[in-house]
Amino acid sequence: MVYQFSDRMATLQPSLIREILKSTSDPSVISFAAGNPAPDAFPVADVQRIAAEILAEQPIMALQYSVTEGYMPLRDACKKLLETHYGIPMRDNELIIISGAQQGADLTAKALVNEGDTVLCEDPSFIGCLNCFRSYNCNLVGVEMEPDGVNLEKFEQAMREQPNVKLFYMIPNFQNPSGITTSLEKRKAVLRLAEKYNVLILEDNPYGDLRCSGEPVPSIKSFDESGAVIYVGSFSKLLAPGIRVGFVAAPKPLIAKMTVGKQCSDVHTNMLAQMICERWLTTCDVEAHIHKIQEIYKRKCSLMLDCIKKEFSPAVSYTVPEGGLFVWCTLPEGADMMAFCNRAVEKKVAIVPGSAFLADQTAPCRAFRLNFSTPTDQAIVKGIEILGQLTREWYPA
């Protein structure tokens, strides 16, 4: 049998991160390649109790089909969370529950992007959503990042020169993979430019509550008065990624079209998981939990940064994130990043090549991503020591 794949799927390749993670099944490998929450960040006891209560009190509701828009009590709780915790007014917006934040990108592309249309993204950016956009045969164009967010001059140039620009995808808080937080000034400028060129912004905020230092910055959606921003939130880093629950807040016409798209995809998000999220939001001390996980990530981030400062060659630069899960390291001019990453794996340390996060994965890249949330403290110390020795051998100052 000869299989003729669709044009949409024929050129897509497996996620490089997922392929790297296969190698980490070897227990001797220290993995800085994942993006998982820290094991001690999960409110396991709360979830166990809530799940048992739901299955005892409302088993049929938890096990039955439901509406595509989502479990109404959870939708109401998420709207309240957006207004009170994130400062996002819901009066001109609607909300749909989705199966993880990445489905928000998929439904947005499904609703708005035709084959050949342009989707802009930060460069580098999250590989999962990049592959999602690629699956729609769009013209995916990356816009260079600066320490405080996207390069505004190149952002406007791309909107002005690229054909049929429909969407700009961005992660303004502790960006994956760079760890960069977009400044308030740039957030406002991005919105002004998007409105000027009639381009929608897809604001993805999976890491916003994982702040370790600095002051919170308002979301772009919080000052969006024109309906230009589609906001995606998730319970993956706040509660647990395995439940696959997120939400999209956007103007009502967009949510209506996404709802139709979701009906063609998975009908509705897992009902038991939705009910767990709702009861967790409404009966548990969410603020105390956020404070707990912030302290966990603050400690682990500080440990990795201290180790990098001590062990890495001064020829290697790196970001100092204010939160999130990642540190972005850049090798010096002329370095062979892929050779470095391969050598690291040979030394039993898994890292992710930066090229995996580029809109054009063939473009030159000297960076790699490190994750500090998943490995143990002992693994962070040992793994950075191994990488540091490699940097000093290959790139002495």
Side-chain angles (χ1 to χ4, degrees), residues 60-87:
I60 302 305
M61 181 175 289
L63 300 175
Q64 186 58 279
Y65 283 118
S66 187
V67 296
T68 304
E69 291 86 348
Y71 179 50
M72 183 56 75
L74 177 59
R75 293 175 68 203
D76 290 340
C78 288
K79 290 176 183 179
K80 182 178 179 181
L81 181 72
L82 285 174
E83 291 193 319
T84 61
H85 186 67
Y86 299 110

Side-chain angles (χ1 to χ4, degrees), residues 175-196:
Q175 198 240 22
N176 181 2
S178 69
I180 290 171
T181 295
T182 299
S183 67
L184 178 59
E185 293 75 18
K186 282 204 170 176
R187 294 179 192 218
K188 292 180 177 180
V190 164
L191 179 58
R192 286 196 302 269
L193 288 169
E195 291 172 334
K196 176 180 176 180

Side-chain angles (χ1 to χ4, degrees), residues 270-332:
N270 180 291
M271 266 301 290
L272 176 58
Q274 290 190 69
M275 295 173 74
I276 290 172
C277 287
E278 185 273 335
R279 194 166 295 197
W280 182 74
L281 279 178
T282 56
T283 67
C284 295
D285 191 339
V286 176
E287 290 298 328
H289 175 71
I290 291 173
H291 178 73
K292 174 187 174 181
I293 62 177
Q294 285 176 338
E295 288 301 311
I296 291 171
Y297 294 126
K298 179 179 181 179
R299 179 181 56 78
K300 294 180 78 70
C301 181
S302 296
L303 176 61
M304 177 170 277
L305 291 173
D306 288 345
C307 290
I308 289 174
K309 183 177 180 180
K310 175 184 176 183
E311 303 290 349
F312 274 30
S313 164
V316 179
S317 61
Y318 55 94
T319 57
V320 180
E322 294 183 339
L325 307 178
F326 308 107
V327 176
W328 185 246
C329 303
T330 303
L331 301 174

Side-chain angles (χ1 to χ4, degrees), residues 67-382:
V67 296
T68 304
E69 291 86 348
Y71 179 50
M72 183 56 75
L74 177 59
R75 293 175 68 203
D76 290 340
C78 288
K79 290 176 183 179
K80 182 178 179 181
L81 181 72
L82 285 174
E83 291 193 319
T84 61
H85 186 67
Y86 299 110
I88 297 175
M90 291 300 297
R91 60 181 179 272
D92 297 320
N93 295 290
E94 191 48 87
L95 184 142
I96 184 174
I97 303 299
I98 54 177
S99 300
Q102 193 167 315
Q103 190 179 54
D106 183 72
L107 294 177
T108 299
K110 183 179 290 187
L112 297 171
V113 179
N114 292 315
E115 185 170 338
D117 286 345
T118 297
V119 173
L120 303 179
C121 63
E122 298 168 319
D123 212 24
S125 189
F126 171 50
I127 186 174
C129 285
L130 297 186
N131 276 338
C132 168
F133 299 136
R134 290 182 182 113
S135 75
Y136 286 91
N137 280 349
C138 71
N139 174 39
L140 185 62
V141 177
V143 183
E144 178 184 321
M145 293 287 281
E146 296 177 323
D148 63 343
V150 71
N151 181 308
L152 293 175
E153 181 180 346
K154 293 186 177 181
F155 177 52
E156 182 169 19
Q157 180 182 356
M159 288 191 291
R160 187 173 59 244
E161 296 179 357
Q162 293 292 332
N164 301 319
V165 180
K166 293 290 185 68
L167 188 68
F168 175 51
Y169 172 70
M170 65 183 301
I171 308 172
N173 294 315
F174 327 125
Q175 198 240 22
N176 181 2
S178 69
I180 290 171
T181 295
T182 299
S183 67
L184 178 59
E185 293 75 18
K186 282 204 170 176
R187 294 179 192 218
K188 292 180 177 180
V190 164
L191 179 58
R192 286 196 302 269
L193 288 169
E195 291 172 334
K196 176 180 176 180
Y197 290 94
N198 196 35
V199 172
L200 290 173
I201 297 169
L202 180 57
E203 181 180 15
D204 192 3
N205 188 30
Y207 312 108
D209 288 308
L210 308 185
R211 176 168 286 279
C212 301
S213 63
E215 295 298 322
V217 186
S219 69
I220 302 171
K221 185 65 178 172
S222 69
F223 46 83
D224 169 33
E225 297 181 354
S226 65
V229 181
I230 301 165
Y231 180 92
V232 179
S234 173
F235 289 96
S236 290
K237 307 305 184 293
L238 187 61
L239 179 55
I243 61 175
R244 308 309 303 136
V245 178
F247 52 88
V248 178
K252 294 177 182 179
L254 288 172
I255 293 296
K257 194 59 70 174
M258 288 183 190
T259 301
V260 176
K262 185 171 171 63
Q263 289 169 350
C264 301
S265 175
D266 62 359
V267 184
H268 64 78
T269 298
N270 180 291
M271 266 301 290
L272 176 58
Q274 290 190 69
M275 295 173 74
I276 290 172
C277 287
E278 185 273 335
R279 194 166 295 197
W280 182 74
L281 279 178
T282 56
T283 67
C284 295
D285 191 339
V286 176
E287 290 298 328
H289 175 71
I290 291 173
H291 178 73
K292 174 187 174 181
I293 62 177
Q294 285 176 338
E295 288 301 311
I296 291 171
Y297 294 126
K298 179 179 181 179
R299 179 181 56 78
K300 294 180 78 70
C301 181
S302 296
L303 176 61
M304 177 170 277
L305 291 173
D306 288 345
C307 290
I308 289 174
K309 183 177 180 180
K310 175 184 176 183
E311 303 290 349
F312 274 30
S313 164
V316 179
S317 61
Y318 55 94
T319 57
V320 180
E322 294 183 339
L325 307 178
F326 308 107
V327 176
W328 185 246
C329 303
T330 303
L331 301 174
E333 289 286 348
D336 186 336
M337 178 270 297
M338 285 302 303
F340 180 86
C341 292
N342 289 333
R343 182 60 178 151
V345 172
E346 290 173 4
K347 286 182 168 288
K348 303 292 187 177
V349 180
I351 59 180
V352 186
S355 53
F357 305 98
L358 300 182
D360 177 4
Q361 293 178 299
T362 66
C365 182
R366 293 180 285 112
F368 59 91
R369 192 192 74 176
L370 300 177
N371 164 256
F372 55 78
S373 61
T374 308
T376 64
D377 292 0
Q378 181 181 9
I380 289 174
V381 173
K382 182 178 179 182

Side-chain angles (χ1 to χ4, degrees), residues 18-31:
R18 294 295 167 188
E19 294 303 304
I20 291 171
L21 288 177
K22 291 178 184 177
S23 70
T24 64
S25 59
D26 180 349
S28 67
V29 173
I30 296 172
S31 177

